[in-house]
Amino acid sequence: MPSRETIVARRAPLRPLLAKEIREIVAGRALWILLLLTCPLVGYSFFQAVSLYAESSTAAQQSPELAVSLSPLDGVLVPTFGASYVAVTLLFPFVAIRVLGQEKESGTLRLLVQLPYRTSTLIAAKLAAIFAAIMLVSVPALATLAWWTSLGGHLSAPETSNLVAGHVLYGLLVGAIALFAAAATDSTATAAIVALAFTIGSWVLDFTIAGRPGILEWLSRLSLTQILRSFEQGMLTAAVALGVIAAIGGFATLAGIWLSPGVAAHVKLARSSICVLATVVVLALVVQIGFARDVTEDRRNSFPAADARALAKLSEPLRVSVHLAPEDPRFIDLQRNVLSKLARAMPDTTIRLAAARQPVATGTGDEGYGQIEFSYGARTDVTRSTSPREILPLLYGLAQVPVPRPDPGGGYPGYPLVADAQVTLPFFFGALPLLIAWAWWLSRRPPQRGFVVSKETTK
Amino acid sequence: MDVAALTKRFGEQFALANVAFDIHAGEVLGIIGPNGAGKTTLLEGVAGLLPMDSGDVRWQGRSLPVAQRRNSIFYLPDGLRPYQDQYVARVLAFFAGVYRAPRAQVALAIERLALAPVLQKRVRALSKGFGRRLMLAIGLLTPQPVLVMDEPFDGFDLRQTRDVVHMLRELAAGGRTLVLAIHQLADAERVCDRFLLLADGRVLARGTLDELRSRTARPRASLEDIFLALT
């Protein structure tokens, strides 16, 4: 039998709560200032990216081979959205903290927690407001997509939507961290420090220890920036997307635990420990999901279609033993060009890193260092090449299947575009900021007389 | 509602020590005591907003868990300005919307607390008196049978206090139970049916004014005299 609380919680309408959360985030100056700052930042990045793309395109017009390397995703979208990423990393925590920090600092939280909503509903409403805010903050970046197509640029729907989804997920994660920081601390200033410690801290983590061996390599994977990397490379990876969603859920649950003022600190700590443990378990399970799709138009993360089909037909397990240290540039090259593609084309592939560190350059070191050993069935072959052009024929040789013929035509043509983005500057430096200022002014207008007894209350 | 042996310590110091009282439907209970007596701690403990070390709150004979207190009790803290960047009309509309308060109830709350002139003002721009009226209006829009208020008369002048006393008495006459922490004893004497006198987190006395007079052997004493005699 449901408790009375359950019944009351079910009956409480969500609309006023959602409207209040969105009004609260819109009422703060932080959102509008962030939007106004993002306009020129994104606009100038877009202008520069298009200019550089146009320069490369000029050369590519005389040489079709050069055109193949011109992808709007790398040339324009990633650098443009990168500017939005910087703004979100550094400034969005201040916007997201407001959804709870203001209520906590003013004492209004003591009214909020008495309302007939479950804590999870209160947190979900706040996350919804954060989502609305991140969509608003994305407006300048999304406007560049419209400008790019209007300049004659090409957009691939799967890779563009994948990139946008990555940035939205990243923004939501930053928002969830800020929400937790606001719930766990007493003032918005402290919450901002905690949230920035996560965002900027993981940035530093990414810069300083990425590519280092052992535990440092593992630590660098916790960086928030790493999340975006796979989306920017045009990969839709279930482990990354679901991992981010699990992390958002974990931080939101932690925020819920620390929201209730009527619960003793030691109880909150105990519940938080369980929550962190549960999130870690979910993350550990999620990273096991192998599903990944290359959504790029040029299939840069995959072998050519004919090779992918041929490799998929190889039924026996493949074992790869790499005698390279993880920080060795050859290993990074091999990982990017061969191993990651191979793991998706042949799911039954085991990769073993046989060398933990590079030998000292004395000439008397490990002779086998640099070798990559492939074992398929009972046959084994060794190479020192990290190029798929050498490794794929080696694999076909091991499997005793013929080298597939490339598919005729239909290759990626490349999308060179010589365009002048000067025309967009007045929009990003003038029209859009004015539009945002007008929306800000609209949001600050008082309600009409009679509003309180006519619009939002029941008859 | 019964409050049994509520105890709260901050470090070695007792903020509340075995505080107990009961209250019946339609009754107005005044919690009085000097500054630092534990009035606000008691109210927050009863409302479930501050974890207590021990003690219980019972509703109709059954223990009322902290998570369910909000079904029966609504607490209006002292000195709170909710949603300061919002307009008064929007704040009222929010609470009315959450509790599905009928339009007539909203209109009545605005009228009784004379909030019409400030509906289009931001909460942060309100004077102390209007801020207090807004909180009272929120209290009027909530449906819980027990309304707990911390210093409901703070910020009101004489006439406004009289009007609010009248309004609270009407509320109680309608069956709503009120628990008020009041430091102005003359106001408390006018509005409350019974009193709980707190000092240093302990209950010094409880009862009606007449019962307190008998206890202090001062048959014509005011609440202020009794307070001074007992503290």
Side-chain angles (χ1 to χ4, degrees):
Chain A
M1 193 175 146
S3 67
R4 189 178 166 184
E5 187 208 8
T6 317
I7 295 165
V8 173
R10 273 185 198 152
R11 283 180 188 161
L14 282 176
R15 191 166 162 257
L17 183 66
L18 279 170
K20 187 270 292 178
E21 293 300 350
I22 289 170
R23 265 202 304 270
E24 270 294 280
I25 210 163
V26 165
R29 290 193 185 100
L31 174 69
W32 301 101
I33 291 171
L34 172 58
L35 259 171
L36 289 172
L37 285 174
T38 310
C39 286
L41 195 65
V42 168
Y44 190 69
S45 297
F46 177 68
F47 166 74
Q48 271 207 318
V50 174
S51 302
L52 288 171
Y53 196 81
E55 274 178 36
S56 308
S57 299
T58 309
Q61 278 177 335
Q62 277 114 43
S63 160
E65 288 78 24
L66 282 176
V68 172
S69 64
L70 281 168
S71 153
L73 177 67
D74 293 328
V76 177
L77 303 190
V78 169
T80 303
F81 276 76
S84 180
Y85 153 78
V86 171
V88 167
T89 302
L90 296 177
L91 299 174
F92 192 66
F94 295 96
V95 177
I97 281 168
R98 193 188 155 84
V99 296
L100 180 57
Q102 199 81 359
E103 284 173 320
K104 202 163 179 186
E105 213 164 52
S106 69
T108 312
L109 183 65
R110 286 179 291 171
L111 291 184
L112 185 76
V113 295
Q114 294 184 73
L115 299 180
Y117 298 105
R118 292 188 186 95
T119 306
S120 54
T121 310
L122 294 175
I123 293 293
K126 289 182 184 301
L127 265 185
I130 289 172
F131 176 72
I134 198 73
M135 291 314 291
L136 260 178
V137 171
S138 304
V139 164
L142 294 174
T144 62
L145 300 180
W147 273 111
W148 175 242
T149 47
S150 73
L151 290 171
H154 169 80
L155 283 180
S156 156
E159 62 187 27
T160 307
S161 45
N162 187 56
L163 181 70
V164 172
H167 278 272
V168 169
L169 273 178
Y170 174 76
L172 263 180
L173 180 58
V174 170
I177 291 169
L179 187 62
F180 158 67
T185 57
D186 288 330
S187 71
T188 49
T190 316
I193 290 168
V194 172
L196 288 175
F198 271 97
T199 56
I200 299 178
S202 78
W203 214 3
V204 172
L205 203 71
D206 195 47
F207 277 125
T208 53
I209 59 176
R212 303 278 180 88
I215 187 87
L216 294 177
E217 167 66 18
W218 184 84
L219 271 176
S220 74
R221 284 189 203 162
L222 297 177
S223 152
L224 302 180
T225 318
Q226 292 281 352
I227 293 162
L228 272 178
R229 207 144 288 162
S230 89
F231 291 98
E232 287 176 345
Q233 286 164 356
M235 287 298 298
L236 176 58
T237 314
V240 174
L242 294 175
V244 177
I245 292 168
I248 292 169
F251 279 111
T253 309
L254 280 175
I257 289 168
W258 287 89
L259 185 75
S260 310
V263 180
H266 69 273
V267 177
K268 288 179 180 177
L269 280 172
R271 289 177 185 171
S272 299
S273 306
I274 295 167
C275 173
V276 170
L277 200 67
T279 308
V280 168
V281 169
V282 171
L283 284 173
L285 291 174
V286 155
V287 294
Q288 305 302 320
I289 300 172
F291 175 82
R293 180 160 290 173
D294 179 5
V295 294
T296 54
E297 198 175 344
D298 58 2
R299 292 179 53 83
R300 74 187 65 169
N301 303 298
S302 311
F303 292 126
D307 288 303
R309 280 197 303 274
L311 290 169
K313 284 180 189 160
L314 304 184
S315 55
E316 290 188 52
L318 173 71
R319 291 182 305 281
V320 186
S321 191
V322 184
H323 294 263
L324 283 169
E327 69 273 22
D328 193 312
R330 283 174 290 173
F331 176 72
I332 295 164
D333 204 33
L334 178 76
Q335 174 73 24
R336 190 174 51 228
N337 293 329
V338 179
L339 298 182
S340 61
K341 296 177 183 179
L342 202 55
R344 274 183 288 112
M346 292 180 70
D348 200 1
T349 299
T350 311
I351 298 162
R352 193 171 70 89
L353 209 56
R357 59 182 60 188
Q358 291 187 62
V360 183
T362 58
T364 58
D366 180 9
E367 292 292 324
Y369 186 80
Q371 287 185 349
I372 305 148
E373 190 179 292
F374 292 88
S375 303
Y376 182 79
R379 290 173 293 281
T380 298
D381 205 346
V382 174
T383 180
R384 285 180 181 271
S385 170
T386 59
S387 162
R389 266 181 288 185
E390 303 214 14
I391 290 174
L392 286 179
L394 180 149
L395 285 178
Y396 296 133
L398 285 175
Q400 294 180 321
V401 295
V403 175
R405 295 162 71 104
D407 288 345
Y412 183 71
Y415 294 96
L417 177 73
V418 181
D420 184 5
Q422 197 101 32
V423 66
T424 65
L425 290 179
F427 174 78
F428 287 105
F429 283 80
L432 193 54
L434 278 174
L435 203 66
I436 288 164
W438 179 65
W440 188 359
W441 176 77
L442 277 183
S443 76
R444 292 180 66 79
R445 283 194 314 170
Q448 292 178 340
R449 288 190 183 279
F451 163 84
V452 70
V453 287
S454 61
K455 281 199 172 171
E456 294 207 357
T457 53
T458 54
K459 288 178 185 174
Chain B
M1 185 175 81
D2 294 292
V3 172
L6 277 192
T7 300
K8 175 71 183 174
R9 283 184 356 176
F10 292 111
E12 292 300 306
Q13 196 176 359
F14 276 95
L16 293 175
N18 288 316
V19 174
F21 64 88
D22 62 348
I23 186 163
H24 309 287
E27 199 175 25
V28 182
L29 176 74
I31 296 174
I32 57 174
N35 288 340
K39 300 190 291 291
T40 301
T41 307
L42 175 59
L43 298 191
E44 292 194 346
V46 169
L49 298 180
L50 186 69
M52 293 286 111
D53 296 332
S54 60
D56 197 12
V57 175
R58 295 195 189 101
W59 177 256
Q60 295 175 338
R62 286 183 182 175
S63 181
L64 195 59
V66 167
Q68 291 179 22
R69 302 252 173 102
R70 59 186 176 176
N71 293 329
S72 311
I73 303 165
F74 194 84
Y75 167 59
L76 293 173
D78 180 29
L80 180 60
R81 297 282 183 90
Y83 305 112
Q84 300 195 6
D85 291 329
Q86 302 296 335
Y87 292 97
V88 171
R90 289 204 192 280
V91 174
L92 286 176
F94 167 58
F95 284 93
V98 168
Y99 289 111
R100 299 182 198 274
R103 285 179 189 178
Q105 189 184 350
V106 182
L108 187 67
I110 292 169
E111 187 197 324
R112 293 302 304 268
L113 290 154
L115 281 170
V118 295
L119 285 177
Q120 291 190 298
K121 273 192 174 181
R122 287 185 193 275
V123 173
R124 70 164 69 252
L126 294 182
S127 66
K128 192 175 180 183
F130 271 114
R132 177 65 62 186
R133 284 190 223 182
L134 172 62
M135 288 296 286
L136 281 172
I138 290 169
L140 293 183
L141 296 176
T142 59
Q144 286 86 343
V146 180
L147 187 57
V148 177
M149 291 185 249
D150 197 356
E151 301 295 352
F153 305 114
D154 203 21
F156 289 141
D157 61 28
L158 192 64
R159 193 179 298 276
Q160 288 165 346
T161 303
R162 207 179 60 176
D163 292 345
V164 172
V165 166
H166 185 60
M167 194 191 72
L168 293 178
R169 288 303 326 175
E170 276 185 9
L171 207 59
R176 207 157 183 200
T177 307
L178 305 178
V179 179
L180 316 175
I182 307 171
H183 76 272
Q184 289 161 328
L185 299 181
D187 298 333
E189 197 175 323
R190 276 190 289 174
V191 72
C192 299
D193 300 312
R194 284 198 300 143
F195 303 93
L196 181 80
L197 178 54
L198 276 183
D200 295 329
R202 291 166 206 282
V203 177
L204 290 187
R206 62 182 155 226
T208 62
L209 187 58
D210 285 339
E211 286 166 349
L212 294 177
R213 281 171 177 156
S214 310
R215 185 173 164 180
T216 52
R218 292 165 183 237
R220 303 179 71 83
S222 66
L223 187 60
E224 197 173 299
D225 298 330
I226 293 166
F227 177 82
L228 290 171
L230 288 171
T231 55

